[in-house]
Amino acid sequence: MNKELLVESARQIKGNAYVPYSHFPVGAALLLKDGEVINGVNVENVSLGATNCAERTAIFTAVAKGYKKGDFQAVAVSGDTEDFLPPCSICRQVLAEFCSPDMLVYLTNRNKEIKELTLKELLPYAFTDLDM
Ligand code: THU
């Protein structure tokens, strides 16, 4: 699957976001190395800290389906923003747990432009190891 299709998948799924508080829908599309695409949306809560971002929803869904570290090829994130919408820091940390530093991350904006980064560029000096 090419990056345009993955970004389009993230854009489409955004419509399922549950965002009664922020009115800021986000969609994510995770491409697995076996070609599967798993989507996620942000799911908010009246207790705002209980909100789950789109990227984490996608990763957690993939893990629940049985995917493991090393199975992830790319992720696309879509929001209705002027600038490219980057994953929040908690989502970056969750991505770093399961995805390799050279995994591709596609950011997009409301103009359908695409910015391509590696996870390492998005999260340099990631904390990934408890061996001190
Ligand atoms: N949000 C995401 O889903 N992904 C991000 O990486 C940025 C933030 C959501 C969380 C919340 O529902 C809304 O956007 C506003 O912060």
Side-chain angles (χ1 to χ4, degrees):
M1 161 169 298
N2 64 31
K3 63 183 173 186
E4 286 78 15
L5 281 174
L6 196 65
V7 163
E8 190 52 36
S9 175
R11 195 188 314 282
Q12 296 267 330
I13 203 70
K14 193 158 37 86
N16 292 349
Y18 175 74
V19 289
Y21 307 104
S22 73
H23 306 287
F24 186 78
V26 181
L30 259 183
L31 178 63
L32 282 300
K33 287 182 180 168
D34 67 3
E36 183 87 7
V37 174
I38 293 179
N39 290 113
V41 295
N42 47 339
V43 181
E44 299 187 340
N45 192 280
V46 64
S47 176
L48 298 174
T51 292
N52 209 61
C53 291
E55 300 89 324
R56 273 177 286 151
T57 303
I59 288 275
F60 297 160
T61 302
V63 172
K65 283 175 172 263
Y67 289 100
K68 312 279 186 225
K69 283 184 184 184
D71 290 342
F72 301 90
Q73 187 170 315
V75 63
V77 184
S78 171
D80 298 321
T81 46
E82 179 73 30
D83 291 330
F84 294 107
L85 174 63
C88 80
S89 298
I90 296 173
C91 288
R92 294 179 201 204
Q93 184 65 33
V94 170
L95 289 167
E97 180 75 21
F98 292 99
C99 308
S100 72
D102 60 356
M103 189 188 77
L104 292 174
V105 181
Y106 302 121
L107 310 182
T108 187
N109 58 15
R110 71 164 73 105
N111 301 320
K112 299 193 173 189
E113 295 163 310
I114 300 174
K115 185 178 185 68
E116 182 175 328
L117 298 167
T118 63
L119 181 55
K120 193 181 174 71
E121 288 172 317
L122 193 67
L123 182 61
Y125 302 102
F127 176 48
T128 55
D129 196 336
L130 288 182
D131 280 338
M132 299 298 172

